[in-house]
Amino acid sequence: MKKSIRARLGWLGCAALFGCLAIYAQTPKTPDSKAPAALAHAAVSAQGAPQAHDLNADDLGAFFDGFLPQEIEHADIAGAVIAVVKDGKLVFAKGYGYADVAKKEPVSPETTLFRPGSISKLFTWTAVMQLVEQGKLDLDRDVNDYLDFKIPPAFGKPVTLRDIMTHRTGFEETAKDLFVGSPEDLRPIPEYLRVHMPARIFPPGTTPAYSNYATTLAAYIVERASGQNFNDYVEEHFFKPLNMTHASFRQPLPDALKPFMSKGYLLGSGEPKPFEYVQVAPAGSLSASAVDMTHFMIMHLQNGRYGDVQILKPETAVEMHARQKGWPPAMNAMCLGFYEQSENGHRVISHGGDTVSFHSDLFLILDADAGLFVSYNSAGRGEIDARGLLYDKFMDRYFPGAPPSEPVMPTAAQDARSVAGIYEVSRRFETNVLAVTGMIGQTKVTVNSKDNTISMEGSKGLNQQLLHYREIAPMVFRDVDGKAKIAFVNDATGRRVAYIDYPFMVFQQVNNTLDKQSVNYFLIGFSLSVIVLTLLMWPIGAMIRKHYGKPLTLDSGAKRLRMLVRLVCFGVVIYAVGLLIFVSKLSNPSGLSEHTDPWLHLLQVLGLVAGLGSLVAIYNMVKSWADGQQWLWNKIWNTFLAFGCVGFFWFIYHWHLLNFHLNY
């Protein structure tokens, strides 16, 4: 599931993706012919049990030197950095490729700064826990008690810091102003929070739905409880005591650190991208070297201690790392900020991070007192999930586990059929102008009748074939050739919910027929086809009539109606083109800002006028059927056109594209 999720969310995973969001990509465990040659599994004993390699610098060097150069070349990534810790010490750290391709500047694990994206959130979460142990914050108290503005009531339950740290606030996704084009566009945190508050679409404490807004809200609470600016707090309470001399949340970077910043790329063979300015800075603006990140990792692995410094009390760190309630027992769960990525029988807590250019993961293998940090300065070609593949092979080599023994479930066929259907991700836009992206991103779960397995659309292995999931426990399915799992439950409303390996979001079954992708694709396809054909046939019909000397046999009133309908069609086409241009800005997050509001409002006015023009199309249809002079085919086409205009208006209204409150 890993690669498919990141692909779906894209940059919203910042975010994400956002990326959704990043909305969002990750899995495949089965190597194919395109995978790097050095991807060897752990050694196998004569008895068939996997044998772990020693986690030492020499073996790690041999492994990563065989893995990373081929991987970054294959994926067209400019540079990468790796760091591994064990038993409170740095065991291995190395850079691969280039921090600056044009200058052939190598990556230094000690000094080169990468942007670990949402891994930044771990500093915000740790700051919250510091203030919790000081008695200044309570994880289960209404956050409105800590704010100088109010989160409006919804669902009869308050939002708490525990909800925020487990991504169960119920907020819908937000993308506007997550990234901005320049430091001058950055707003103070409280101003951003007041203006960009998203709608709440789930009761708090129930449905995981990753939220950058909520993390930034937690950082503002840290500011108010501590009396310090967030950047000052992080520098005093983390960077200084942890000796993180090459790390900063500040944007732009301090002058002393600017020379160490790696360039960011989409493709290593392409041009470098500008420094990314993250409005939700506590959720994703960190710049840091890999070695500095290992200091933070060691502190958490040692339950709050780094050298002679105690950042968190041991019991606070244990609480932060603990699995939270509400997730199926067979699946990874949220901790407080961290989330589980357990593998091969080892409990692993983790966090990933994505900006547009940088893509990173941090893993803490708690029961082995070991950690792995990896970051790439390029998105790459995206054919494989580079980070996910590296993590899987790292675990198989150094922390292998015996293949699980799983029974054949007699309910496999019945349960597979019961979970088939259309699903939408919980991390979505629902009430704003980007709600249509949720429909576009729907996924389908199908049954493979030959072996009673299921497949999820978009969830593919390295060979680009759909993964097959076999039931291994009641309503729990595992990839037959790998480790990815899906568990299905029913929520409080009876709706089917799919939990995946990433516990900060779920997939919910789409039960409303009018919300389903296939219905909407047919509707908008039919509507636009009829409208566009009407415009195309207008001059063609005129030329044909002129060629055969057959004038248009309509009275003046019918001609005026005919012209009005075609003007409506022009409006629809112009609106559709403008909407496509707006949606294309999703590939550049800084393009989704308040600077585009006037243009989007203008587009919405055009859409409203064109949509209301459907009344003209309906009137034209009625008049044509009452006109005995008109051809039957003309009447039928006018009927199609009326339905097309109405269908188009329903589509843009239903998906909130005419929502003039531009908070998205």
Side-chain angles (χ1 to χ4, degrees):
M1 290 294 298
K2 295 181 182 179
K3 184 176 188 298
S4 61
I5 294 169
R6 284 196 181 118
R8 286 183 177 281
L9 298 181
W11 61 265
L12 289 174
C14 176
L17 146 233
F18 110 114
C20 165
L21 190 103
I23 334 324
Y24 293 325
Q26 303 135 32
T27 41
K29 320 286 187 189
T30 319
D32 67 359
S33 59
K34 295 182 180 179
L39 305 186
H41 287 280
V44 178
S45 71
Q47 290 75 30
Q51 298 294 301
H53 285 240
D54 290 335
L55 193 72
N56 57 55
D58 290 340
D59 198 276
L60 286 164
F63 172 64
F64 287 123
D65 287 352
F67 187 105
L68 261 301
Q70 294 184 64
E71 185 183 54
I72 63 177
E73 181 181 4
H74 171 72
D76 197 0
I77 291 170
V81 67
I82 293 283
V84 178
V85 298
K86 180 80 168 71
D87 298 329
K89 297 179 181 179
L90 176 64
V91 180
F92 179 85
K94 188 171 181 178
Y96 295 87
Y98 298 109
D100 187 325
V101 174
K103 296 180 180 179
K104 302 298 181 185
E105 180 182 325
V107 173
S108 165
E110 291 83 12
T111 60
T112 302
L113 304 184
F114 277 60
R115 303 294 298 280
S118 286
I119 296 175
S120 308
K121 292 178 172 68
L122 295 178
F123 290 83
T124 299
W125 306 138
T126 308
V128 168
M129 297 306 291
Q130 286 181 326
L131 295 171
V132 166
E133 70 179 19
Q134 295 170 27
K136 295 181 179 180
L137 296 177
D138 184 332
L139 291 177
D140 300 305
R141 186 173 175 177
D142 186 343
V143 295
N144 279 328
D145 295 341
Y146 302 119
L147 298 170
D148 55 357
F149 63 93
K150 295 298 181 184
I151 299 174
F155 301 102
K157 295 177 65 178
V159 173
T160 68
L161 280 167
R162 190 181 302 276
D163 295 332
I164 291 176
M165 295 179 75
T166 55
H167 290 295
R168 294 187 295 185
T169 58
F171 287 127
E172 71 175 324
E173 182 62 289
T174 180
K176 186 178 181 180
D177 292 323
L178 280 182
F179 290 80
V180 295
S182 70
E184 290 75 24
D185 293 323
L186 291 169
R187 290 185 174 192
I189 287 177
E191 182 182 343
Y192 167 82
L193 291 171
R194 288 186 180 94
V195 173
H196 292 78
M197 187 183 299
R200 291 161 66 190
I201 59 176
F202 307 116
T206 60
T207 304
Y210 193 90
S211 176
N212 290 297
Y213 177 91
T215 305
T216 310
L217 188 68
Y220 183 51
I221 291 172
V222 167
E223 287 190 340
R224 289 180 54 77
S226 67
Q228 284 184 284
N229 170 273
F230 182 77
N231 287 332
D232 295 337
Y233 186 97
V234 170
E235 288 169 2
E236 178 181 339
H237 295 274
F238 297 122
F239 295 163
K240 289 181 181 178
L242 295 176
N243 193 29
M244 297 177 68
T245 58
H246 288 77
S248 179
F249 272 82
R250 297 187 185 274
Q251 302 174 107
L253 283 170
D255 290 341
L257 292 179
K258 286 181 180 179
F260 301 105
M261 186 68 231
S262 170
K263 301 290 186 183
Y265 302 83
L266 293 182
L267 294 175
S269 58
E271 293 298 316
K273 300 300 178 181
F275 184 85
E276 299 167 82
Y277 293 97
V278 185
Q279 173 61 68
V280 288
S285 74
L286 178 64
S287 302
S289 73
V291 169
D292 273 21
M293 291 300 297
T294 65
H295 300 177
F296 185 77
M297 295 163 64
I298 289 170
M299 179 273 291
H300 268 287
L301 286 167
Q302 308 250 9
N303 285 335
R305 180 175 57 83
Y306 179 76
D308 297 329
V309 178
Q310 196 74 39
I311 300 294
L312 289 174
K313 294 177 181 178
E315 58 270 27
T316 305
V318 169
E319 180 184 7
M320 187 175 179
H321 302 160
R323 179 186 175 96
Q324 298 296 293
K325 297 178 181 178
W327 280 261
M331 303 301 293
N332 290 324
M334 286 299 304
C335 307
L336 291 175
F338 286 97
Y339 53 84
E340 291 181 324
Q341 286 290 273
S342 299
E343 189 160 315
N344 294 344
H346 292 273
R347 185 163 188 265
V348 182
I349 61 174
S350 170
H351 211 293
D354 299 85
T355 68
V356 175
S357 299
F358 292 85
H359 306 273
S360 313
D361 269 321
L362 180 154
F363 302 97
L364 302 181
I365 308 161
L366 296 181
D367 54 14
D369 194 12
L372 167 69
F373 175 77
V374 56
S375 187
Y376 300 83
N377 64 7
S378 317
R381 298 191 187 281
E383 295 174 0
I384 62 172
D385 170 30
R387 291 173 287 165
L389 185 60
L390 183 145
Y391 172 60
D392 289 340
K393 299 309 172 185
F394 174 83
M395 291 298 294
D396 286 345
R397 184 177 181 90
Y398 298 105
F399 303 97
S405 176
E406 294 159 348
V408 176
M409 298 295 296
T411 58
Q414 176 183 341
D415 289 345
R417 289 193 298 271
S418 74
V419 301
I422 306 298
Y423 290 78
E424 60 185 350
V425 70
S426 59
R427 185 189 181 187
R428 64 178 181 267
F429 307 93
E430 186 162 296
T431 71
N432 58 53
V433 295
L434 292 180
V436 70
T437 62
M439 180 272 294
I440 294 171
Q442 289 175 8
T443 190
K444 188 176 184 180
V445 174
T446 56
V447 179
N448 304 304
S449 56
K450 290 184 178 180
D451 55 5
N452 294 324
T453 60
I454 62 171
S455 292
M456 179 175 274
E457 195 174 55
S459 179
K460 297 180 179 180
L462 291 176
N463 59 5
Q464 298 303 301
Q465 300 301 307
L466 284 176
L467 300 182
H468 285 216
Y469 294 85
R470 176 179 293 116
E471 190 175 32
I472 60 170
M475 304 308 289
V476 178
F477 297 77
R478 184 195 294 274
D479 172 22
V480 297
D481 295 318
K483 306 168 187 176
K485 290 189 295 184
I486 309 174
F488 294 87
V489 301
N490 290 343
D491 64 17
T493 67
R495 187 183 193 183
R496 186 80 76 187
V497 177
Y499 282 79
I500 55 176
D501 289 329
Y502 286 82
F504 49 74
M505 60 187 178
V506 294
F507 285 86
Q508 302 168 302
Q509 192 160 25
V510 180
N511 295 321
N512 185 348
T513 300
L514 293 178
D515 288 340
K516 291 184 177 180
Q517 186 184 79
S518 57
V519 173
N520 281 271
Y521 279 1
F522 172 80
L523 176 66
I524 197 64
F526 169 81
S527 299
L528 290 178
S529 296
V530 171
I531 289 168
V532 171
L533 282 173
T534 297
L535 292 176
L536 290 175
M537 293 304 298
W538 188 13
I540 294 174
M543 288 187 291
I544 292 174
R545 288 194 300 273
K546 182 177 180 180
H547 178 76
Y548 288 103
K550 299 287 186 180
L552 189 64
T553 56
L554 295 175
D555 60 36
S556 59
K559 287 181 179 179
R560 283 195 298 270
L561 265 179
R562 185 171 181 270
M563 177 61 70
L564 281 174
V565 169
R566 276 141 187 81
L567 289 176
V568 169
C569 292
F570 268 122
V572 169
V573 171
I574 293 171
Y575 175 85
V577 172
L579 182 62
L580 288 174
I581 293 172
F582 171 70
V583 171
S584 71
K585 292 181 180 293
L586 287 171
S587 62
N588 176 21
S590 63
L592 297 175
S593 71
E594 61 185 14
H595 299 304
T596 64
D597 284 357
W599 296 106
L600 188 52
H601 275 314
L602 181 62
L603 183 64
Q604 289 176 316
V605 169
L606 178 61
L608 182 61
V609 172
L612 292 176
S614 60
L615 297 175
V616 177
I618 293 171
Y619 184 65
N620 179 61
M621 174 192 71
V622 173
K623 292 289 289 183
S624 68
W625 280 103
D627 187 350
Q629 299 296 316
Q630 293 193 32
W631 293 351
L632 175 62
W633 286 112
N634 189 55
K635 297 176 181 181
I636 292 174
W637 188 259
N638 284 339
T639 303
F640 285 165
L641 187 55
F643 276 101
C645 289
V646 170
F648 171 80
F649 184 64
W650 177 89
F651 181 88
I652 62 176
Y653 175 80
H654 180 71
W655 293 109
H656 306 287
L657 291 165
L658 299 180
N659 184 348
F660 281 78
H661 180 60
L662 295 183
N663 187 14
Y664 57 86

